[in-house]
């Protein structure tokens, strides 16, 4: 039963992995503060906000939105943290209300990972306040509780942070609103429902959590409450998270973004308290172009699917939204089928119990007839549900057959003919394909798993033992090779979809065990340098990337991004680590954790090929690292949990076909384009 809290009331928490849902009716900023026993916030690194959304145990949304989902893992917060405060604030710098008194009362709910509400609180009584501490999760005698706070601040976010003891409160508040303003300018509006599809709504989702990562950091309202398991924070993404509807990204998922080279103009302003202008910042006087018109259907036949049958400003965006619509449709129709089967099972069990409860009908013809009737009703209900599912699957399969050949390289499989006409792009795409997703009821139907770019969380290719869905056995050496092959394919795709010289790859292979798999990258000359080997190589690469993160962070926080050293490489950076933790000492492990936590915000990303069991000696020290990465597998595996509808999605990596030279061809073009740029 949900505890409906009033101001000052507390409630015990039986779970430590939670989601905090916020609904405000108007775009607001959601964040979290970490405090000690006295509630003091000791520095900006103790605050999770849109500009720095991920802290150990806490992940928040990356932009202002009317709906938020914050992920909390109380076991992952530091020992010094005794209070986790959830703060809400009205953003400045964009059109909107100036105080909470002019908007609907914000509603906050604490839920478990299965969506079950634990406690809720409606924040009433606010007038001139523009920032409020909504809830507080606090530790008392080793147990966690939630308390309704509802403390508002007319002085805004700066006053709220200062009241919690943060010395740099005013500077941090200004930085948060600046990040929100840029995020709103970059965001892509959600497409409206498609009237030609029976009112079925398809909305873009971002990444996020990653799938199955339960750390959602995304904005927007997901249709039918099913955001799906993409991009974790999450998602993403552990991961993932309600995905990122239109992530600032996220997330969602989750996630949900490093500042791009060219920042779009700020949306037009309207008077405070007036209506918010949701139109595209670059197209203020036009509506999004309609999706392509499907050919007229024959009488009695369903309408023929069309590639790009979704709202968007470009074909790429339309296809992205259409793929998400297919994912949502598959999730909903499968959930409906499973629900119908469960209902049929429950009804048959109830009818059989009624028969068995009467001693007179347990034996003889009357009992047998009742049992046959119950089983017949059960079969009829299941058959009807299966017919509906098969109809929907046939429609989705037909749509997939049209959409798959039309996908651009960033969204396409390696066997798609689009790679034969590949050219190095001039700009970064919206998203990237990491693999395929499918469900047991629709094994032949594959939905592309797309995550938004730039990456908002690292990737972990799990080389440990996994239960392959087809029962295939792989020994440890074969799994490690497949995992590194998968990492090379992902790396090649990332290089291929970025403009020349805007994506740099570093490789750490301490024992040199991945030379064969890494050969395509080395031969093409697309790496920043030869793969680093030995403890000295590990130390050198980590030191350079750590220094880079420090420099960029100091420049951004100081508002002096133009003060970076001359010749500083401004491209996105990817560090591929093979065979972790071999060759890593304690200092190197801490630097790796630092890069995983702080790197994505400044364009430094991590891709690890590792078996978690190999690092078991570090104990819980590395738990935040594994949770912060999106886990992928080198073989098909159903590890991507979707708590919204209870599905376990099977992930299948996209590898190059056996004997294909497409990887070498694409990497050669990337290397050639880089050579032309350097002349």
């Amino acid at each position: 039963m949900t505890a409906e809290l009033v101001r000052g009331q507390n409630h015990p928490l039986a779970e430590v992995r939670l989601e905090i849902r916020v609904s405000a009716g108007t775009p607001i900023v959601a964040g979290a503060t970490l405090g000690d026993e006295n509630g003091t916030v000791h520095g900006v690194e103790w605050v999770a906000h849109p500009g720095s959304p991920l802290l150990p145990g806490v992940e928040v949304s990356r932009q202002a939105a009317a709906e938020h989902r914050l992920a909390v893992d109380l076991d992952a917060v530091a020992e010094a943290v005794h209070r986790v405060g959830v703060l809400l604030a009205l953003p400045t710098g964009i059109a909107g209300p100036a105080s909470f008194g002019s908007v609907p009362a914000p509603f906050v709910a604490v839920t478990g990972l299965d969506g079950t509400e634990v406690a809720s609180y409606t924040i009433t009584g606010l007038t001139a306040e523009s920032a409020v501490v909504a809830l507080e999760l606090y530790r008392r005698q080793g147990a966690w509780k939630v308390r309704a706070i509802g403390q508002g601040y007319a002085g805004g976010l700066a006053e709220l942070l200062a009241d919690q003891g943060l010395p740099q409160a005013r500077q941090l508040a200004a930085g948060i609103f600046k990040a929100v303003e840029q995020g709103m300018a970059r965001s892509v509006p959600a497409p409206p429902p498609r009237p030609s599809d029976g009112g079925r709504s398809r909305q873009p989702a971002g990444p996020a959590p990653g799938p199955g990562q339960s750390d959602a950091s995304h904005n927007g309202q997901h249709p039918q409450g099913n955001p799906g398991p993409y991009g974790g924070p999450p998602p993403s993404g552990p991961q993932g998270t309600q995905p990122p509807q239109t992530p600032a990204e996220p997330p969602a998922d989750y996630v949900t973004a490093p500042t791009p080279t060219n920042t779009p103009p700020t949306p037009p302003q309207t008077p405070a308290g007036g209506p918010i202008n949701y139109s595209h910042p670059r197209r203020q006087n036009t509506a999004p172009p309609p999706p392509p018109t499907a050919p007229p259907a024959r009488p009695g036949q369903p309408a023929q699917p069309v590639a790009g049958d979704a709202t968007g400003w470009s074909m790429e965006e339309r296809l992205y939204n259409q793929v998400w619509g297919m994912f949502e449709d598959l999730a909903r129709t499968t959930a409906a089928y499973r629900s119908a089967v469960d209902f049929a099972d429950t009804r048959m069990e109830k009818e059989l119990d009624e028969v068995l409860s009467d001693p007179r009908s347990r034996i003889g013809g009357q009992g047998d007839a009742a049992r046959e009737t119950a089983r017949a009703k059960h079969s009829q209900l299941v058959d009807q549900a299966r017919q509906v599912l098969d109809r929907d699957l046939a429609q989705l399969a037909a749509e997939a057959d049209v959409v798959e050949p039309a996908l651009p390289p960033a969204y396409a499989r390696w066997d798609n003919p689009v790679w034969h006409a590949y050219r190095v792009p001039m700009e970064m795409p919206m998203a990237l394909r990491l693999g395929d997703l499918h469900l047991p009821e629709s094994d032949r139907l594959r939905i592309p798993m797309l995550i938004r770019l730039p990456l908002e969380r690292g990737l972990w290719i799990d080389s440990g033992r996994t239960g392959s869905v087809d029962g295939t056995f792989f020994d440890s050496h074969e799994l490690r090779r497949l995992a590194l092959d998968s990492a090379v394919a992902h790396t090649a795709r990332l290089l291929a979809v970025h403009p020349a010289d805007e994506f740099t790859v570093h490789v750490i292979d301490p024992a040199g065990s991945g030379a064969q798999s890494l050969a395509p990258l080395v031969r093409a000359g697309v790496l920043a340098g030869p793969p680093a080997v030995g403890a000295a190589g590990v130390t050198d690469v980590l030191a350079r990337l750590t220094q880079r993160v420090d420099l960029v962070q100091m420049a951004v926080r100081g508002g002096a991004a133009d003060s970076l050293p001359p010749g500083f490489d401004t491209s996105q950076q990817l560090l591929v680590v093979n065979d972790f933790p071999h060759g890593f000492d304690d200092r190197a492990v801490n630097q790796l954790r630092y890069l995983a936590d702080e790197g994505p915000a400044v364009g430094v990303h991590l891709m690890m090929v590792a078996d978690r069991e190999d690092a078991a000696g570090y104990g819980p020290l590395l738990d935040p690292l594994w949770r912060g990465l999106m886990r992928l597998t080198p073989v098909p595996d159903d590890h991507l949990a979707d708590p919204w509808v209870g599905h376990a999605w099977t992930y299948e990596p996209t590898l190059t076909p056996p004997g294909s030279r497409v990887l070498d061809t694409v990497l050669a073009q990337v290397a050639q384009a880089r050579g032309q740029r350097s002349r």
Side-chain angles (χ1 to χ4, degrees):
M1 172 180 278
T2 304
E4 298 182 1
L5 305 180
V6 297
R7 181 172 298 176
Q9 184 180 0
N10 61 39
H11 185 74
L13 296 174
E15 303 177 53
V16 294
R17 301 186 68 186
L18 304 165
E19 187 176 78
I20 299 174
R21 305 182 182 183
V22 180
S23 176
T26 189
I28 62 172
V29 178
T33 58
L34 306 181
D36 59 15
E37 291 180 330
N38 300 318
T40 303
V41 179
H42 291 278
V44 294
E45 66 276 6
W46 287 48
V47 183
H49 56 83
S52 179
L54 187 62
L55 293 179
V58 179
E59 186 172 2
V60 304
S61 304
R62 293 179 179 261
Q63 72 175 48
E67 308 282 342
H68 289 275
R69 299 186 180 221
L70 286 64
V72 178
D73 186 349
L74 298 174
D75 275 349
V77 300
E79 288 294 328
V81 174
H82 289 262
R83 300 188 186 184
V84 179
V86 178
L87 58 91
L88 311 176
L90 292 169
T92 62
I94 62 174
S99 67
F100 279 109
S102 59
V103 302
F107 174 81
V108 186
V110 179
T111 73
L113 295 184
D114 59 355
T116 304
E117 284 193 7
V118 178
S120 64
Y121 173 42
T122 302
I123 310 172
T124 58
L126 299 177
T127 54
E129 297 88 345
S130 59
V132 59
V133 179
L135 295 175
E136 179 183 71
L137 311 179
Y138 65 98
R139 178 163 29 197
R140 182 68 53 83
Q141 296 178 349
W144 286 91
K145 297 183 178 182
V146 56
R147 177 187 290 124
I149 303 296
Q151 175 64 53
Y153 295 84
L157 185 58
E159 182 182 355
L160 184 155
L161 295 172
D163 189 48
Q164 298 196 9
L166 184 64
Q168 311 94 329
R170 190 168 300 279
Q171 297 91 325
L172 179 58
I176 292 173
F177 290 136
K178 183 65 175 177
V180 170
E181 183 178 353
Q182 293 176 350
M184 294 292 285
R186 292 194 300 268
S187 63
V188 180
R194 302 185 304 168
S196 62
D197 201 14
R200 179 176 64 178
S201 173
R202 289 187 173 176
Q203 300 183 12
Q213 306 304 321
S214 73
D215 41 15
S217 61
H218 314 303
N219 306 310
Q221 182 72 30
H222 194 286
Q224 303 297 327
N226 171 35
Y230 281 77
S236 307
Q239 5 222 115
T241 180
Q242 174 172 358
Q245 265 306 94
T246 42
E249 246 180 83
D253 281 302
Y254 59 102
V255 336
T256 99
T259 305
T261 304
N262 299 317
T263 304
T266 304
Q269 304 293 315
T270 56
I276 299 172
N277 187 345
Y278 289 104
S279 57
H280 193 283
R282 291 177 178 169
R283 302 173 178 83
Q284 300 299 339
N285 300 319
T286 60
T293 303
R298 297 178 180 178
Q301 297 293 326
Q304 296 299 312
V306 175
D309 186 15
T311 303
W313 292 104
S314 65
M315 189 60 175
E316 178 192 13
E317 185 179 341
R318 289 177 176 178
L319 288 169
Y320 174 81
N321 294 338
Q322 185 174 14
V323 168
W324 266 98
M326 294 165 60
F327 169 81
E328 293 163 358
D329 290 345
L330 178 57
R332 283 195 294 266
T333 190
T334 305
Y337 170 73
R338 293 181 180 180
S339 177
V341 172
D342 288 342
F343 170 76
D345 292 341
T346 303
R347 176 173 174 174
M348 183 178 69
E349 291 176 1
K350 181 179 179 181
E351 292 177 349
L352 292 177
D353 287 342
E354 291 177 353
V355 173
L356 295 175
S357 64
D358 187 355
R360 295 171 298 179
S361 60
R362 291 181 185 175
I363 58 176
Q366 183 179 357
D368 293 340
R371 282 188 284 269
E372 288 299 326
T373 301
R375 294 190 182 100
K377 291 180 180 178
H378 175 271
S379 298
Q380 181 182 10
L381 290 174
V382 172
D383 290 343
Q384 289 176 351
R386 186 71 212 192
Q387 290 174 6
V388 174
L389 176 65
D390 290 341
R391 180 200 64 197
D392 293 344
L393 292 181
Q395 181 179 351
L396 286 170
E399 189 171 9
D401 290 341
V402 173
V403 170
E404 190 69 45
L407 295 177
Y411 301 173
R413 294 193 186 101
W414 284 111
D415 59 359
N416 192 311
V418 72
W419 288 106
H420 298 316
Y422 167 76
R423 294 294 182 270
V424 177
M426 299 300 294
E427 61 182 14
M428 182 179 67
M430 289 181 58
L432 181 82
R433 185 174 190 159
L434 287 181
D436 295 329
L437 297 173
H438 64 91
L439 292 170
E441 289 85 353
S442 55
D443 187 64
R444 296 183 180 179
L445 179 61
R446 299 293 194 271
I447 304 295
M449 177 179 173
L450 305 180
I451 62 166
R452 290 294 295 264
L453 291 178
L455 296 173
E456 296 179 354
R457 61 191 308 182
L459 303 177
W460 166 29
I461 316 299
D462 189 356
S463 60
R465 294 187 178 274
T466 59
S468 177
V469 294
D470 59 2
T472 306
F473 174 78
F474 296 93
D475 62 32
S476 59
H477 296 291
E478 180 69 5
L479 275 175
R480 291 176 190 274
R481 183 190 64 79
L482 290 173
L484 189 53
D485 287 347
S486 179
V488 169
H490 292 315
T491 302
R493 185 182 289 268
L494 283 164
L495 285 165
V497 303
H498 283 82
D501 294 334
E502 290 192 15
F503 197 82
T504 303
V505 178
H506 311 263
V507 175
I508 291 179
D509 185 21
S513 60
Q516 181 179 355
S517 295
L518 294 170
L521 300 175
V522 176
R523 275 198 310 267
V526 293
L527 300 179
V533 296
V538 172
T539 301
D540 177 63
V541 173
L542 291 178
R544 285 188 283 112
L545 291 178
T546 302
Q547 183 183 37
R548 175 190 177 86
V549 172
D550 290 339
L551 283 173
V552 177
Q553 280 187 339
M554 287 189 293
V556 171
R557 291 172 181 172
D562 56 350
S563 65
L564 291 169
F568 186 84
D569 182 10
T570 59
S571 66
Q572 298 280 314
Q573 308 283 313
L574 174 68
L575 172 60
V576 180
V577 178
N578 182 42
D579 207 16
F580 176 82
H582 183 84
F584 282 72
D585 56 18
D586 290 345
R587 176 179 174 81
V589 169
N590 287 331
Q591 288 177 318
L592 192 69
R593 289 184 55 190
Y594 176 72
L595 292 178
D597 292 340
E598 303 294 336
V602 293
V604 178
H605 311 286
L606 179 63
M607 182 185 297
M608 289 182 56
V609 181
D611 180 357
R612 188 169 183 173
E613 291 299 320
D614 291 344
Y618 287 94
L621 175 67
L622 293 181
D623 286 352
L625 172 65
W626 304 119
R627 283 193 295 264
L629 301 174
M630 177 183 292
R631 177 176 175 255
L632 304 175
T633 54
V635 295
D637 185 72
D638 57 352
H639 67 282
L640 298 181
D642 185 353
W644 306 102
V645 288
H647 299 336
W649 291 84
T650 296
Y651 166 79
E652 186 174 332
T654 55
L655 300 176
T656 57
S660 172
R661 303 289 298 174
V662 63
L663 205 65
D664 293 327
T665 303
V666 169
L667 291 176
Q669 291 203 36
V670 172
Q672 181 181 6
R674 291 187 172 190
Q676 293 174 351
R677 285 288 187 94
S678 61
R679 294 173 185 172

